[in-house]
Amino acid sequence: MTTAHNTTPQYPFTAVVGMDDLRLALLLNAVSPAVGGVLVRGEKGTAKSTAVRALSALMPAVDVISGCRFACAPAAPDPGCPDGPHGTGAVEERPTRMVELPVGASEDRLVGALDIERALSEGVKAFEPGLLADAHRGILYVDEVNLLHDHLVDLLLDAAAMGASYVEREGVSVRHAARFLLVGTMNPEEGELRPQLLDRFGLTVEVAASREPDQRVEVVRRRLAYDADPAGFAARWAAEEDALRGRIAAARKLLPRVTLGDAALRQIAATCAAFEVDGMRADIVMARTATALAAWAGRTNVLEEDVRQAALLALPHRRRRNPFDAPGLDEDKLDRTLEEFGADEGAEEGTDGDDDPEPDGPDGGPDGGGPDGGGHPPQEGGPEESPLPPEAELPHQQEREAPQTPPAPEKPEQAEQTEPASAPQGGAAGEKAAVGATEPFKTRRLDVPGLGEGADGRRSRARTAHGRTTGARRPHGALGKLHLSATVQAAAPHQRARGRSGRGLVVRRDDLREAVREGREGNLVLFVVDASGSMAARKRMSAVKGAVLSLLLDAYQRRDKIGLITFRGTGAELALPPTSSVEAGAARLEQLPTGGRTPLSEGLLRAHEVLRVERMRDASRRPLLVVVTDGRATGGPEPVVRAARAARLLAGEGTASVVVDCEAGPVRLGLAGELARELQGTAITLDELRADSVSALVRTVQGNRKAA
């Protein structure tokens, strides 16, 4: 856990250079925690964590009841607090906590743990609070939230939505308040969050490193100055920090008096309808955000500019229809919608904000409602005095929304030779331009055989912390899920020897048994795609890309890591190293050209090398090799023999494989089937890959390997 009690001062929030939208989103949540938190998306090294950690120093201090582990407020203590009931005890003031949730945290560390031994033997609810209790009335920060296990994300967001955490263990339950400002950061290149989880974050912002040399110079200059003398650097920004802290307090005080008029409500509803967002959470978040924006600007009425800014922060992550869609909004469409539904009533409501005094800025007067207002220093140093920047001065939305994917791989040299004339649909000597993919479809599930122990996912059978109970065992380390009947059976024979005289069961540590559960794991799905001339027919390659795109979507839904190898011409290329970002895989697939010979053996050998390296990095994540080809092998000496040898090398290491047979035409050579037999895997056609195909046989890797 990280709190605000560090001896080294945090990097000042007002010293953060640029990132206007990120700073504004964080400040709006500081003004109105009901907005629902912030999800910060961006490339590595963009100071996401620095800005979030710096926010805690700006939050007002909180009064708590002394001795309460759950930070109950003296004026309104939680009636169900496990440490209650609270009398008229002492009150203490403490800084707002910022609690960090590590990616590898356990469920018990997040929500807390019950002492099962005391609960069974004494009937006592001995509860050790978790991070959710520590974060109550503070900030809960989750770095790399997209890498957090799904069940932990579910618990986290449920607590954030309900304002309470529930701990259930074999009929014993504890509830405590858990209201906090939730902030998550993530790098989209490492994988996405599920759409339903994205929706639970109030706001989202995209951050990227500036391309302006002067701004980058200022970032480096300030960071070096902070590293050299943290205390001195923080002291130089103390005045700006105090001014911003005061503005947050003033905006919080003004917030209950802000009026959200009918015109603004109509604009919010029309905007959400125009962008076809699901559910009503977007409307509510936009309303709360627009209200917070007005309070931040020192007004008691919501203007059209507040609604517009609220839409840019609250809607981009809610309008995605599949993981390949980049988050973002069409700003021209947004402006047309606001104009259509707000022109009349907005003109009548837009100027009544002078009845209330505006909160003082650093110079004693209002300093506007823009992202940089309220104490953000200009790049040269010193407090700003500028009003809300016009929309043209805000960071360009399309730049913020650009997908964070690596550049396209360089194209290998074009093969000098052509496919043999006898090969149907043979490729030309030169490279053919990339073609688009057909519409993706729902695929059949392809499983890795056996029982794994990898990260939680939705593909192959595995021993996991969640799933159906299949047995019991002695706990290794801290007790996980208690297997009640096995524990009772272990303790029952010893009751007389332990002197049991009452109704309670005498339970010792050695009696405890934890449940062994079976669920599903995520795998490493490595695609090896034939991009040679024999695959280059336009309709055929479009269908192949559509199939791979469908498999990528399936891998995303099943929480897999993916990698992409392509082979053509004279060699194979690792187009996408193993990653959790299916967006990156889809982008590389879209740019894939075709042409040249078919070095099948090179593709398989490259796959063998990639899997060897990944096995050293994460031995528990089992691979699934998906080879997309028509089975032809050309180029070099004895290409067919070399391909068979490479396939047997993979099979010898137990790599589960599927060959997607792309052969077309009335005459089929069955080469993909022969490759599958060498791999000891399964061969399926493009038609059989579809989950809704009535003619396809139900084929899995498990069944084929049993037959082999």
Side-chain angles (χ1 to χ4, degrees):
M1 180 182 73
T2 300
T3 68
H5 300 290
N6 296 328
T7 56
T8 302
Q10 291 279 9
Y11 190 93
F13 189 87
T14 49
V16 175
V17 178
M19 298 196 297
D20 296 344
D21 282 353
L22 171 57
R23 291 186 291 170
L24 177 61
L26 292 172
L27 290 170
L28 291 177
N29 274 272
V31 171
S32 176
V35 167
V38 186
L39 176 64
V40 187
R41 297 164 45 93
E43 59 196 19
K44 53 188 176 293
T46 49
K48 301 186 295 292
S49 300
T50 298
V52 174
R53 293 189 177 99
L55 179 68
S56 62
L58 299 175
M59 301 291 284
V62 295
D63 291 332
V64 299
I65 297 175
S66 295
C68 178
R69 298 174 297 168
F70 301 88
C72 280
D78 179 14
C81 176
D83 284 356
H86 297 294
T88 56
V91 176
E92 63 179 272
E93 183 182 79
R94 75 178 189 198
T96 296
R97 286 178 174 174
M98 191 188 80
V99 177
E100 292 192 39
L101 174 61
V103 170
S106 65
E107 180 179 339
D108 286 346
R109 185 72 186 99
L110 175 63
V111 301
L114 290 172
D115 189 332
I116 300 297
E117 185 175 353
R118 292 188 63 192
L120 289 176
S121 59
E122 304 174 31
V124 176
K125 294 182 181 178
F127 181 67
E128 182 67 27
L131 295 178
L132 292 179
D134 293 336
H136 180 47
R137 303 177 66 199
I139 302 171
L140 183 59
Y141 172 48
V142 189
D143 195 14
E144 307 294 352
V145 64
N146 52 322
L147 302 182
L148 201 64
H149 286 303
D150 285 350
H151 71 282
L152 292 182
V153 177
D154 291 336
L155 291 170
L156 177 66
L157 295 181
D158 284 344
M162 296 185 296
S165 174
Y166 295 84
V167 184
E168 304 284 345
R169 291 290 190 277
E170 305 296 340
V172 181
S173 63
V174 171
R175 173 210 168 275
H176 65 82
R179 290 183 294 275
F180 46 81
L181 168 57
L182 177 63
V183 183
T185 58
M186 60 175 284
N187 182 352
E189 293 181 3
E190 297 173 340
E192 283 287 354
L193 280 174
R194 305 197 307 268
Q196 59 268 39
L197 299 183
L198 283 171
D199 185 52
R200 301 292 286 273
F201 283 93
L203 310 179
T204 186
V205 291
E206 297 276 335
V207 296
S210 172
R211 299 297 185 260
E212 293 293 330
D214 290 343
Q215 195 172 73
R216 295 175 74 97
V217 166
E218 187 63 24
V219 170
V220 175
R221 180 182 292 120
R222 294 185 187 183
R223 186 69 211 192
L224 293 178
Y226 171 77
D227 292 340
D229 182 10
F233 185 84
R236 290 197 294 274
W237 292 91
E240 285 78 8
E241 292 281 289
D242 289 341
L244 190 55
R245 192 178 294 110
R247 185 175 176 185
I248 292 173
R252 280 189 169 191
K253 184 177 180 180
L254 182 63
L255 184 66
R257 294 153 51 197
V258 176
T259 302
L260 184 65
D262 289 341
L265 279 172
R266 287 176 65 241
Q267 287 180 318
I268 290 170
T271 301
C272 292
F275 286 99
E276 301 180 347
V277 296
D278 297 330
M280 294 298 297
R281 185 175 284 118
D283 304 63
I284 296 171
V285 171
M286 273 192 66
R288 290 171 174 167
T289 305
T291 303
L293 280 161
W296 180 246
R299 288 184 270 100
T300 58
N301 62 304
V302 175
L303 304 182
E304 181 176 307
E305 65 196 58
D306 301 323
V307 176
R308 186 182 194 279
Q309 184 64 54
L312 294 175
L313 292 172
L315 296 188
H317 61 302
R318 291 186 165 90
R319 59 168 296 277
R320 303 181 71 189
R321 288 295 177 263
N322 66 64
F324 306 135
D325 293 337
L329 290 182
D330 182 340
E331 294 196 41
D332 291 336
K333 180 178 179 180
L334 173 61
D335 291 335
R336 290 194 301 269
T337 302
L338 294 175
E339 182 179 359
E340 178 182 355
F341 288 90
D344 296 331
E345 295 178 66
E348 298 174 5
E349 295 184 359
T351 57
D352 62 356
D354 295 332
D355 297 335
D356 299 284
E358 296 182 342
D360 290 342
D363 57 354
D367 56 0
D372 290 327
H376 288 301
Q379 302 308 316
E380 295 77 18
E384 288 188 355
E385 300 178 346
S386 61
L388 177 71
E391 301 300 337
E393 294 180 30
L394 293 175
H396 197 280
Q397 183 72 10
Q398 292 182 350
E399 293 179 359
R400 295 197 308 271
E401 295 158 5
Q404 303 295 318
T405 54
E410 295 181 2
K411 301 173 183 177
E413 295 182 3
Q414 298 176 358
E416 297 179 358
Q417 296 176 304
T418 62
E419 290 285 318
S422 60
Q425 297 180 334
E431 180 180 281
K432 294 182 180 295
V435 298
T438 57
E439 193 69 19
F441 52 85
K442 183 175 178 60
T443 66
R444 295 188 180 279
R445 187 175 70 203
L446 305 173
D447 296 308
V448 176
L451 192 64
E453 295 184 349
D456 288 348
R458 298 181 178 178
R459 184 173 297 279
S460 305
R461 294 174 54 235
R463 296 186 184 91
T464 60
H466 299 269
R468 63 185 181 90
T469 300
T470 60
R473 66 182 179 188
R474 292 180 182 271
H476 303 292
L479 177 68
K481 294 284 187 179
L482 178 74
H483 196 295
L484 182 58
S485 61
T487 299
V488 172
Q489 289 174 11
H494 308 291
Q495 295 305 294
R496 181 175 299 176
R498 292 172 182 174
R500 174 186 172 185
S501 58
R503 299 177 59 185
L505 187 68
V506 181
V507 180
R508 303 283 171 79
R509 176 69 187 177
D510 290 343
D511 300 327
L512 299 179
R513 299 292 184 270
E514 66 180 5
V516 175
R517 297 173 179 268
E518 182 178 312
R520 295 277 173 178
E521 67 177 359
N523 298 110
L524 167 59
V525 182
L526 182 61
F527 295 94
V528 180
V529 180
D530 185 349
S532 64
S534 65
M535 304 282 288
R538 183 165 294 273
K539 289 185 178 179
R540 188 178 181 189
M541 197 61 199
S542 293
V544 169
K545 285 189 175 184
V548 178
L549 196 64
S550 303
L551 289 167
L552 284 172
L553 181 58
D554 181 69
Y556 164 77
Q557 294 169 339
R558 301 191 187 281
R559 308 293 175 265
D560 295 318
K561 289 183 68 175
I562 61 154
L564 177 63
I565 292 173
T566 63
F567 59 93
R568 56 185 291 274
T570 59
E573 178 184 23
L574 180 59
L576 181 70
T579 176
S580 296
S581 175
V582 295
E583 288 180 310
R588 297 298 175 88
L589 182 69
E590 187 68 24
Q591 300 161 355
L592 179 64
T594 57
R597 290 190 175 275
T598 313
L600 177 58
S601 61
E602 299 301 323
L604 297 176
L605 290 173
R606 190 62 184 272
H608 177 268
E609 177 61 20
V610 170
L611 295 179
R612 184 187 66 82
V613 173
E614 289 301 309
R615 195 176 295 114
M616 290 189 294
R617 291 176 176 171
D618 186 358
S620 64
R621 187 179 288 269
R622 298 185 296 162
L624 174 63
L625 183 67
V626 179
V627 185
V628 185
T629 181
D630 57 9
R632 288 178 172 81
T634 61
E638 298 183 321
V640 176
V641 174
R642 294 182 71 245
R645 189 180 300 124
R648 288 193 294 271
L649 179 63
L650 286 162
E653 295 186 346
T655 303
S657 305
V658 175
V659 178
V660 180
D661 186 356
C662 302
E663 191 173 20
V667 179
R668 293 179 177 269
L669 302 179
L671 299 177
E674 293 180 11
L675 175 62
R677 284 190 289 274
E678 295 287 0
L679 287 167
Q680 297 182 23
T682 298
I684 58 176
T685 65
L686 290 175
D687 287 338
E688 291 172 340
L689 186 62
R690 293 178 177 270
D692 57 357
S693 174
V694 296
S695 61
L697 298 175
V698 179
R699 302 192 182 192
T700 63
V701 177
Q702 175 73 60
N704 187 272
R705 289 178 68 88
K706 283 182 178 180

